Amino acid sequence: MSTTEASVSRTEDNVIAFKGSLTRNSVPVLWKTRGRWLGDELVSVDVSQVEVIDTAGVAFLLEVMKATQGTNAPLKCIGASEQLKQIASVSGVESLLSLS
């Protein structure tokens, strides 16, 4: 998978799993397909298979949070990389993403 490609799947227990790249090149394609994988229920996001993420990817995760649970609870991100943690810290959105 190249750094511009990404894939997404949703499990029965409302975990959305991303794989590959969450960057300015891949996020618009993922967002266009959100009707297939994004529901209204509270979700957790598995980012353990995300190889590359940039600020567009972090903004994308915040949009997923907003679409599924408003801004009342942080989005639980499973398998967050050091890169994601650093971007969230520098961007000042750590409190909006529950990174583990």
Side-chain angles (χ1 to χ4, degrees), residues 28-59:
V29 175
L30 287 174
W31 192 247
K32 285 181 183 175
T33 64
R34 68 187 179 279
R36 288 186 263 168
W37 51 266
L38 187 62
D40 294 332
E41 304 94 22
L42 295 173
V43 298
S44 296
V45 176
D46 183 346
V47 291
S48 63
Q49 298 297 311
V50 172
E51 298 165 359
V52 179
I53 189 165
D54 64 9
T55 54
V58 172

Side-chain angles (χ1 to χ4, degrees), residues 6-76:
S7 64
V8 60
S9 60
R10 185 177 180 123
T11 67
E12 292 178 8
D13 54 349
N14 293 324
V15 175
I16 299 172
F18 294 104
K19 184 176 182 181
S21 166
L22 290 181
T23 65
R24 65 185 180 107
N25 294 322
S26 62
V27 164
V29 175
L30 287 174
W31 192 247
K32 285 181 183 175
T33 64
R34 68 187 179 279
R36 288 186 263 168
W37 51 266
L38 187 62
D40 294 332
E41 304 94 22
L42 295 173
V43 298
S44 296
V45 176
D46 183 346
V47 291
S48 63
Q49 298 297 311
V50 172
E51 298 165 359
V52 179
I53 189 165
D54 64 9
T55 54
V58 172
F60 173 75
L61 293 176
L62 294 174
E63 287 299 321
V64 169
M65 177 189 77
K66 191 172 159 184
T68 59
Q69 56 204 57
T71 56
N72 296 329
L75 180 66
K76 184 175 180 182

